[in-house]
């Protein structure tokens, strides 16, 4: 089995595998935890060498779907049918050519973290925001460069993750990378407006945020230098416990706002586990997938790093064991907000930009930094937003023809 | 032992005895040659084949496209931007390591109290893991709350915190500074070893003739250091142009692609973009650039430094 689980959850996986081995009798589960960037190669190489990982979760929805499209995975319709498709969060479920390839267990959702105390001190309008104007107003009121304090950071790092925010803004504004027919539509007025918004927000961002690494996106929030910041995995509970115990209750989460005329979009992960197309043990592999996605095991994973991830299996919040965890009790409101956000606005945009239509292009445009490239051109090179959108749309057409 | 096996052994011994010295030499290096072929040549050839194919990191169903990826890469502005960044980074970093390395070696070549301790201290950057060095620099030069910004503001050098690693103006100089600091001990040690072989008589004679210290450095020390500097600069150029870790840990090639060099570009394409073939083509182009650079370097300075 191969996945990219965070450290505290790895131990739970090992426990679960030990139990599965005991239950099966003559099965040994070999577990390999790999980094995000290594996952596709490790899976492909193992398969090419004739020793495939029987069960795989390749770290991101894009990687997972590409693996299925490249023939590394086999359909697991029987697993899904056995449980019933309603067993899982419907937003995490999708089919490729009529087949299910993944059994979700948990995921993450992009949200805005904000400091209630800083908003109160600045008398700024409190989130959630109804539109971009409110968001901008709050960011302006919260910015005080003489105090080294900024409303909201504009991250422009050259990696897939930093492209997610401009991508979400574009989609909330009615734009996108591809339309349901698969045509590239990134060079739209909607994209240009979203890019202009990113540029406008940059007035209330420190320049140091532009090239911030992913782990460094959160600490300035706790240090009082950002009043808001965005992130995927919800580390608020762990961060506060480890670095800023005095901030308990002062950090809350909400959705990244839409311009007002459309619903918000919250990028979600959680496509889950698939079974190798060349496994010699398909039945055992499928039983393992089912075991991993049993509610009580999902609860164990979720409580290993409390409030970090959200369930992709329904009914998990009703499990008593979930609420036996002290941290989840303490952060119950925040956690329910997070789950609600995923239910209301969550979307696996890397492969499912247009609902019901799985496409490999949006994920590639994100991972090949084309979306953040447009934002970089507008903010760092002062390019006209429409020119930047056109430049990158042309690149996408060239690359993905 | 049977008579048959004794006879076979004798025959084999005769065959070996009849081999020429060259043949025996070839026989002896054969195991190593095979090992090298498997461990070294095969991956290179395999990589070259990848560079001629459109192949994703999932490595399934590669499509043969010949030199197209090389042509596309060379025609892209991204390649030339990365090439230019690589040249700036290499020249800057090598200059810092050579100037600081030679200067430090000159100081260490004198006898003074605590010489051994200071030598150990000066070597220490070479012993600290690169990840630690970059993290310390990032912490010191943090754009929001780094100690460097605090000191510079207190001293009145700047009015507000500078985004050292996020500004296209300062990111590259910061990387050059880190590389120079981390890697100068290599040059320092090579130069120090050479300095200690220069006979004192040269300097005594120069003193008698009234030559100034500067004159002694230019006319005695530098000519003596030519050969070692030639090697040190060549090795540092090759290593620095190919350096990945300091740039990746420091800026990941950003902001935008302001510090993206060819190795970073190859990595991003192969691992972020999942395009193994194209990433490998960039890696091979890097090899070509370095090979051409090395030839030019040898032709320009090779004979003079012999």
């Amino acid at each position: 089995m191969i996945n990219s689980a965070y450290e505290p959850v790895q131990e739970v996986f090992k426990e679960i595998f030990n139990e599965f081995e005991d239950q099966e009798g003559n099965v040994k589960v070999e577990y390999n935890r790999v980094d995000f960037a290594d996952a596709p190669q490790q899976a492909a190489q193992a398969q090419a060498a004739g020793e495939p990982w029987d069960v795989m979760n390749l770290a991101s929805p894009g990687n997972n779907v590409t693996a299925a499209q490249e023939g590394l995975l086999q359909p697991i319709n029987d697993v899904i049918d056995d449980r019933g498709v309603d067993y899982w969060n419907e937003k995490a479920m999708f089919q490729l050519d009529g087949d299910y390839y993944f059994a979700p267990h948990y995921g993450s959702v992009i949200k805005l973290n904000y400091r209630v105390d800083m908003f109160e001190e600045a008398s700024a309008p409190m989130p959630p925001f109804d539109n971009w104007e409110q968001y901008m107003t709050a960011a302006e009121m919260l910015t005080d460069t003489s105090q080294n304090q900024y409303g909201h950071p504009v991250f422009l790092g050259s990696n897939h993750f930093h492209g997610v925010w401009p991508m979400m803004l574009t989609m909330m504004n009615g734009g996108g990378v591809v339309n349901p027919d698969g045509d590239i539509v990134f060079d739209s007025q909607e994209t240009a407006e979203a890019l202009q918004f990113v540029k406008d927000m940059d007035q209330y961002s420190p320049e140091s945020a532009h090239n911030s690494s992913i782990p460094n996106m959160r600490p300035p929030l706790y240090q009082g230098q950002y009043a808001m910041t965005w992130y995927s995995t919800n580390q608020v509970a762990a961060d506060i416990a480890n670095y800023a115990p005095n901030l308990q209750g002062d950090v809350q989460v909400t959705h990244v706002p839409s311009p007002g005329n459309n619903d918000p979009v919250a990028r979600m992960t959680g496509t889950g586990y698939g079974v190798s197309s060349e496994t010699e043990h398909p039945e055992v592999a499928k039983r393992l997938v089912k075991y991993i996605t049993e509610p009580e095991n999902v609860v164990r994973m979720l409580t290993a790093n409390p409030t970090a991830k959200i369930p992709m299996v329904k009914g998990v919040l009703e499990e008593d064991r979930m609420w036996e965890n002290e941290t989840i009790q303490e952060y119950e409101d925040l956690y329910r907000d997070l789950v609600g956000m995923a239910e209301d606005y969550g979307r696996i945009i890397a492969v499912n930009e247009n609902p019901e239509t799985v496409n490999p292009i949006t994920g590639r445009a994100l991972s090949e930094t084309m979306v953040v490239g447009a934002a970089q051109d507008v903010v760092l090179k002062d390019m006209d937003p429409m020119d930047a959108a056109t430049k990158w749309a042309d690149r996408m057409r060239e690359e993905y023809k | 032992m049977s008579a048959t096996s004794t006879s076979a052994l004798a025959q084999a011994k005769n065959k070996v005895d009849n081999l020429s010295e060259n043949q025996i030499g070839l026989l002896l290096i054969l195991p190593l040659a095979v090992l090298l072929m498997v461990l070294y040549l095969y991956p290179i050839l395999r990589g070259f084949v990848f560079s001629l194919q459109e192949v994703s990191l999932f490595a399934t169903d590669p499509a043969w496209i010949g030199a197209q990826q090389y042509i596309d890469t060379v025609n892209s502005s991204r390649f030339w931007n990365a090439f230019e960044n690589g040249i700036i980074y290499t020249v800057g970093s090598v200059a810092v390591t050579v100037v600081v390395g030679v200067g430090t070696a000159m100081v260490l070549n004198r006898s003074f109290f605590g010489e051994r301790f200071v030598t150990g201290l000066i070597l220490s950057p070479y012993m600290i893991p690169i990840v630690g060095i970059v993290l310390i620099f990032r912490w010191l030069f943090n754009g929001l709350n780094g100690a460097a910004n605090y000191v510079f503001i207190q001293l009145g050098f700047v009015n507000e915190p500078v985004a050292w690693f996020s500004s296209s103006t300062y990111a590259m100089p910061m990387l050059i500074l880190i590389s120079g600091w981390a890697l100068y001990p290599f040059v320092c040690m090579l130069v120090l070893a050479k300095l200690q072989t220069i006979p004192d008589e040269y300097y005594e004679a120069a003193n008698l003739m009234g030559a100034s210290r500067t004159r002694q450095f230019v006319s005695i020390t530098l000519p003596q250091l030519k050969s070692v500097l030639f090697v040190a600069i060549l090795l540092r150029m090759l290593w620095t142009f190919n350096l990945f870790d300091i740039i990746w840990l420091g800026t990941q090639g950003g902001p935008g692609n302001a510090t993206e060099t060819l190795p970073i570009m190859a990595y991003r394409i192969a691992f972020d973009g999942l395009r193994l073939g194209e990433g490998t083509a960039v890696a091979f182009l890097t090899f070509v650039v370095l090979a051409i650079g090395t030839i030019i370097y040898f032709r320009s300075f090779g004979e003079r430094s012999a």
Side-chain angles (χ1 to χ4, degrees):
Chain A
M1 209 285 275
I2 187 171
N3 73 10
S4 299
Y6 283 128
E7 203 167 350
V9 190
Q10 286 172 42
E11 294 308 312
V12 175
F13 270 107
K14 287 175 191 165
E15 285 171 21
I16 288 173
F17 297 148
N18 287 339
E19 292 162 11
F20 184 74
E21 287 170 1
D22 292 344
Q23 189 177 298
E24 290 283 321
N26 59 348
V27 168
K28 175 83 186 152
V29 180
E30 190 183 334
Y31 174 39
N32 185 25
R33 193 269 172 195
V34 290
D35 282 338
F36 179 89
D38 281 343
Q41 193 180 22
Q42 293 245 6
Q45 282 180 347
Q47 194 118 328
E51 293 184 358
W53 294 100
D54 299 300
V55 178
M56 296 184 243
N57 181 350
L58 301 185
S60 77
N63 282 350
N64 271 353
V65 169
T66 307
Q69 289 174 326
E70 295 276 350
L72 262 67
L73 300 173
Q74 61 172 281
I76 53 167
N77 297 324
D78 44 349
V79 173
I80 304 299
D81 292 343
D82 189 45
R83 286 262 169 82
V85 73
D86 293 337
Y87 179 82
W88 285 276
N89 178 342
E90 57 270 20
K91 293 195 170 184
M93 298 301 287
F94 54 83
Q95 293 170 289
L96 293 168
D97 299 326
D99 290 317
Y100 289 105
Y101 284 83
F102 308 103
H105 63 326
Y106 63 59
S108 59
V109 63
I110 296 274
K111 80 284 179 202
L112 205 60
N113 292 328
Y114 63 98
R115 286 274 301 266
V116 175
D117 54 335
M118 290 172 74
F119 271 77
E120 285 173 349
E121 198 175 323
S123 303
M126 198 68 76
F129 303 113
D130 294 330
N131 52 54
W132 286 353
E133 285 73 29
Q134 280 183 10
Y135 187 25
M136 191 82 78
T137 303
E140 183 181 4
M141 292 174 75
L142 287 154
T143 300
D144 181 354
T145 52
S146 68
Q147 296 298 310
N148 209 16
Q149 179 184 311
Y150 299 86
H152 184 271
V154 171
F155 298 118
L156 297 170
S158 292
N159 58 56
H160 80 286
F161 189 54
H162 287 143
V164 170
W165 190 60
M167 182 74 227
M168 281 163 48
L169 295 176
T170 301
M171 289 174 65
M172 288 191 265
N173 198 37
V177 170
V178 293
N179 65 15
D181 297 328
D183 302 320
I184 304 284
V185 291
F186 192 64
D187 44 350
S188 66
Q189 190 58 37
E190 289 79 9
T191 304
E193 286 169 6
L195 293 174
Q196 182 62 50
F197 177 69
V198 173
K199 186 172 171 93
D200 293 343
M201 284 299 290
D202 193 48
Q203 300 168 79
Y204 312 116
S205 165
E207 191 182 8
S208 60
H210 291 167
N211 205 30
S212 176
S213 61
I214 293 172
N216 208 34
M217 290 167 70
R218 308 188 317 270
L221 179 83
Y222 305 114
Q223 291 158 353
Q225 284 143 355
Y226 304 161
M228 297 182 270
T229 190
W230 63 267
Y231 207 70
S232 57
T233 301
N234 182 55
Q235 292 292 87
V236 169
D239 286 344
I240 287 179
N242 291 325
Y243 312 119
N246 57 322
L247 287 182
Q248 196 171 347
D250 282 338
V251 181
Q252 295 298 331
V253 297
T254 186
H255 59 83
V256 176
S258 80
N261 43 350
N262 293 314
D263 281 340
V265 172
R267 174 265 208 172
M268 208 168 73
T269 64
T271 44
Y273 287 85
V275 172
S276 165
S277 56
E278 293 180 20
T279 175
E280 290 177 12
H281 322 287
E283 294 312 315
V284 180
K286 286 175 187 175
R287 285 202 296 276
L288 179 57
V289 169
K290 285 169 77 173
Y291 192 63
I292 291 169
T293 54
E294 279 182 9
E296 63 183 69
N297 287 334
V298 174
V299 168
R300 290 162 70 185
M301 294 171 202
L302 292 173
T303 50
N305 190 9
T307 80
K309 299 283 185 181
I310 52 173
M312 292 297 153
V313 168
K314 285 181 182 169
V316 165
L317 292 195
E318 281 75 58
E319 293 275 325
D320 289 340
R321 275 193 64 182
M322 188 78 190
W323 303 101
E324 285 168 9
N325 181 283
E326 273 183 32
T327 309
I328 295 190
Q329 281 177 34
E330 279 172 26
Y331 289 86
E332 180 176 350
D333 291 344
L334 182 145
Y335 194 59
R336 288 192 184 277
D337 284 349
L338 209 60
V339 175
M341 215 180 299
E343 284 170 358
D344 294 341
Y345 312 122
R347 199 180 312 173
I348 298 185
I349 56 176
V351 291
N352 208 6
E353 179 186 344
N354 301 289
E356 312 298 323
T357 313
V358 176
N359 85 75
I361 293 175
T362 310
R364 285 189 65 184
L366 280 169
S367 67
E368 291 170 30
T369 67
M370 299 213 185
V371 177
V372 77
Q376 287 171 351
D377 281 346
V378 171
V379 178
L380 301 177
K381 298 181 183 168
D382 208 20
M383 192 183 275
D384 175 74
M386 195 65 219
D387 291 346
T390 305
K391 170 187 159 182
W392 288 97
D394 289 345
R395 273 280 297 276
M396 290 174 199
R397 289 190 187 100
E398 178 66 23
E399 296 280 342
Y400 311 138
K401 56 192 169 194
Chain B
M1 191 179 283
S2 70
T4 319
S5 58
T6 310
S7 153
L9 268 176
Q11 279 181 358
K13 187 174 178 301
N14 278 339
K15 276 186 183 170
V16 172
D17 287 344
N18 290 335
L19 289 175
S20 69
E21 202 173 321
N22 281 349
Q23 285 172 321
I24 289 177
L26 285 173
L27 202 65
L28 289 173
I29 64 164
L30 190 64
L32 183 62
V34 170
L35 196 67
L36 283 176
M37 292 269 278
V38 172
L39 296 178
Y40 190 72
L41 204 57
Y42 173 74
I44 290 178
L45 289 175
R46 184 72 185 147
F48 184 65
V49 170
F50 276 148
S51 74
L52 302 173
Q53 294 175 323
E54 191 173 281
V55 50
S56 86
L57 210 55
F58 286 96
T60 51
D61 297 328
W64 190 264
I65 53 168
Q68 194 56 47
Q69 286 172 150
Y70 286 93
I71 295 166
D72 290 346
T73 303
V74 171
N75 285 330
S76 72
S77 58
R78 184 179 181 182
F79 173 80
W80 292 106
N81 173 69
F83 174 75
E84 190 184 327
N85 285 339
I87 298 284
I88 293 169
Y89 178 61
T90 303
V91 170
S93 174
V94 171
V96 172
T97 51
V98 168
V99 171
V100 178
V102 171
T104 314
M106 299 285 288
V107 172
L108 292 179
N109 196 36
R110 293 158 179 264
S111 292
F112 56 88
F113 177 72
E115 181 189 340
R116 284 175 181 234
F117 173 74
V118 173
T119 306
L121 203 65
I122 279 168
L123 269 179
S124 60
Y126 219 53
M127 299 178 221
I128 303 172
I130 289 290
V131 64
I133 291 173
V134 179
L135 283 178
I136 288 168
F137 269 87
R138 285 192 64 132
W139 175 74
L140 273 174
F141 287 86
N142 183 299
L144 279 173
N145 51 15
N149 271 330
Y150 177 77
V151 171
F152 292 157
I153 289 172
Q154 294 302 314
L155 293 174
F157 293 162
V158 294
N159 296 322
E160 55 184 28
V162 176
W164 300 101
F165 286 95
S166 295
S167 142
S168 0
T169 311
Y170 298 113
M172 182 59 87
M174 283 308 303
L175 294 176
I176 289 171
L177 178 69
I178 297 173
S179 301
W181 189 84
L183 306 172
Y184 85 90
F186 171 77
V187 177
C188 176
M189 285 300 111
L190 282 183
V191 170
L192 183 60
K194 182 65 186 173
L195 283 175
Q196 289 174 349
T197 67
I198 302 175
D200 289 341
E201 289 82 356
Y202 291 5
Y203 294 101
E204 287 164 9
N207 274 329
L208 284 174
M209 286 187 274
S212 67
R213 290 202 174 235
T214 313
R215 183 73 188 170
Q216 288 178 30
F217 178 75
V218 172
S219 300
I220 300 172
T221 312
L222 265 189
Q224 290 289 321
L225 292 179
K226 257 186 190 174
S227 58
V228 78
L229 281 179
F230 176 80
V231 175
I233 291 172
L234 176 67
L235 290 177
R236 278 262 56 95
M237 276 194 335
L238 295 175
W239 291 341
T240 308
F241 198 82
N242 266 328
L243 204 72
F244 179 84
D245 47 9
I246 288 178
I247 301 177
W248 189 252
L249 294 165
T251 62
Q252 293 200 313
N257 51 9
T259 57
E260 185 178 80
T261 57
L262 291 174
I264 300 288
M265 179 181 168
Y267 178 87
R268 277 179 169 176
I269 290 173
F271 289 94
D272 287 346
L274 305 180
R275 288 173 288 160
L276 187 59
E278 197 181 327
T280 319
V282 175
F284 271 90
L285 284 169
T286 309
F287 167 76
V288 172
V289 166
L290 278 174
I292 293 170
T294 306
I295 291 168
I296 293 171
Y297 182 70
F298 263 91
R299 292 216 169 146
S300 306
F301 304 106
E303 284 183 14
R304 274 188 273 160
S305 63

